[in-house]
Amino acid sequence: MTRAGRSIELYFVDGDPGGMVTATIPFQWTGHVLVSSRTQIKEALARFEAGRPGVYLLVGDKDGEPFLYVGETDEIKTRITAHAAQKDWWSTAILITSSGEPLNKAHARYLESRLHAGASRLRKISLDNSQSPTPSPLSEAAKAHMDDFLENIYLVLPALRFDFLTEDTKPDSPTSAEPVIDAPVYFTLTVPRHGVKAEARVEGGQFVVEAGSIAQKEWIGTTSSDSTYAKLFGELVSQGILVPKGKNSTFARSYVFKSPSAAAAVVAGRPTSGPTHWKLKGTKKSYGEWEADNLALLIGDIDIDL
């Protein structure tokens, strides 16, 4: 099912993309998100929305490891002021309130609990909370409203470059024999001498490595362990996406990669060209060749239309 398009309005408070920014979804959501660096927190807490009830996320790192604290409060500015004195590791505050009818305590506690549970389940970032928040009981109608509110938070945060609540795993490939519009296209990558044998699909504009694919057991690239792909490999291990299996690792769940090369590097355990090494399933045609053919068809269609 194709989702309807959505628009997010970003407002750079100081006219600086690296400064304070607000995010809303005009006409579709009453929520309001304010992102501020710690160095601008005084100015952020002077704003009207900081005097409202809501939930907040503190983001930073401890000894090079990303950390997150999830909280809720009747008045955001008071609570964040306390955290500024008590917690020295955070560098960014994300304040989530309502620009319409204010969130009440029960609403905020429900959102806090769901956000904490989501971050805990995905394991993309370590949590600084000493214990898991307990949600307040809500009526059926209020719960549905807060679930919708939460869905929009999940939409806005990645647009602001915070992906710790983004689900990168996907359902396994469908087995139905029924024809599908825009059916997925499958690719394989093998390294026989290392026992590597992976399958991926391109579906809905995403590159998804299938559950059950066999990858290297560890990163063997000569590049630094701090390189982007090496760190991604380690993150998938820590998240339980890549799990040991004999002399190799296997994908416990299907996973969405940002590019074919990122997928190839994780599968092979070293920097690898995705367009070259992924092959159209059952053929010797590379992903790059397949992509070029598709673009040529597109240009041909455009020429015909013109």
Side-chain angles (χ1 to χ4, degrees):
M1 180 177 179
T2 303
R3 286 190 173 188
R6 307 290 295 277
S7 64
I8 298 173
E9 182 177 276
L10 302 182
Y11 174 65
F12 300 104
V13 177
D14 308 313
D16 178 4
M20 203 184 311
V21 59
T22 68
T24 57
I25 303 178
F27 311 112
Q28 299 178 15
W29 185 44
T30 61
H32 184 279
V33 178
L34 171 65
V35 179
S36 172
S37 66
R38 187 162 186 159
T39 55
Q40 282 190 298
I41 199 64
K42 179 179 178 181
E43 291 81 3
L45 297 184
R47 293 173 60 88
F48 169 75
E49 55 267 29
R52 308 199 107 194
V55 290
Y56 58 91
L57 309 173
L58 301 179
V59 186
D61 67 82
K62 293 181 181 180
D63 301 322
E65 181 182 355
F67 261 76
L68 169 69
Y69 182 88
V70 183
E72 61 81 20
T73 178
D74 292 325
E75 186 183 66
I76 282 183
K77 64 182 179 183
T78 302
R79 187 62 57 84
I80 299 298
T81 298
H83 283 312
Q86 298 165 357
K87 300 180 185 295
D88 62 2
W89 57 265
W90 63 274
S91 57
T92 301
I94 305 172
L95 316 181
I96 305 170
T97 58
S98 173
S99 58
E101 185 71 22
L103 298 170
N104 63 35
K105 184 72 171 178
H107 293 154
R109 286 184 60 189
Y110 181 81
L111 292 173
E112 175 197 35
S113 175
R114 291 291 305 278
L115 290 168
H116 183 280
S120 179
R121 177 177 61 84
L122 293 176
R123 294 192 287 177
K124 286 185 169 185
I125 191 168
S126 297
L127 285 155
D128 190 60
N129 298 69
S130 58
Q131 58 186 9
S132 300
T134 302
S136 294
L138 295 176
S139 68
E140 187 175 14
K143 182 176 179 295
H145 181 55
M146 285 301 100
D147 285 341
D148 182 67
F149 195 97
L150 190 68
E151 184 176 340
N152 285 299
I153 294 175
Y154 289 152
L155 177 67
V156 167
L157 289 181
L160 294 168
R161 300 291 185 259
F162 298 103
D163 69 349
F164 44 76
L165 291 170
T166 302
E167 177 66 83
D168 289 324
T169 59
K170 298 287 279 188
D172 293 347
S173 201
T175 57
S176 172
E178 296 181 8
V180 179
I181 298 175
D182 296 329
V185 181
Y186 291 88
F187 295 85
T188 59
L189 189 156
T190 61
V191 186
R193 64 194 177 98
H194 291 302
V196 170
K197 186 175 182 180
E199 184 168 305
R201 68 183 190 267
V202 174
E203 183 178 31
Q206 296 180 320
F207 196 89
V208 186
V209 173
E210 299 279 12
S213 291
I214 300 172
Q216 283 283 7
K217 189 168 189 175
E218 57 188 20
W219 182 258
I220 61 172
T222 56
T223 55
S224 167
S225 60
D226 290 333
S227 66
T228 300
Y229 292 155
K231 289 172 69 175
L232 176 59
F233 188 99
E235 288 168 4
L236 296 192
V237 171
S238 66
Q239 292 169 24
I241 306 297
L242 273 178
V243 297
K245 185 178 182 181
K247 296 181 179 180
N248 294 89
S249 292
T250 187
F251 279 76
R253 288 169 282 171
S254 298
Y255 187 83
V256 179
F257 286 88
K258 293 182 178 179
S259 71
S261 289
V266 168
V267 168
R270 61 188 179 193
T272 304
S273 169
T276 300
H277 289 85
W278 285 105
K279 305 295 183 181
L280 187 64
K281 189 175 181 179
T283 76
K284 293 183 179 181
K285 179 181 286 189
S286 70
Y287 176 93
E289 293 167 336
W290 168 83
E291 181 182 57
D293 288 347
N294 276 337
L295 292 176
L297 288 173
L298 174 63
I299 293 172
D301 288 343
I302 293 174
D303 289 342
I304 291 172
D305 291 340
L306 293 175

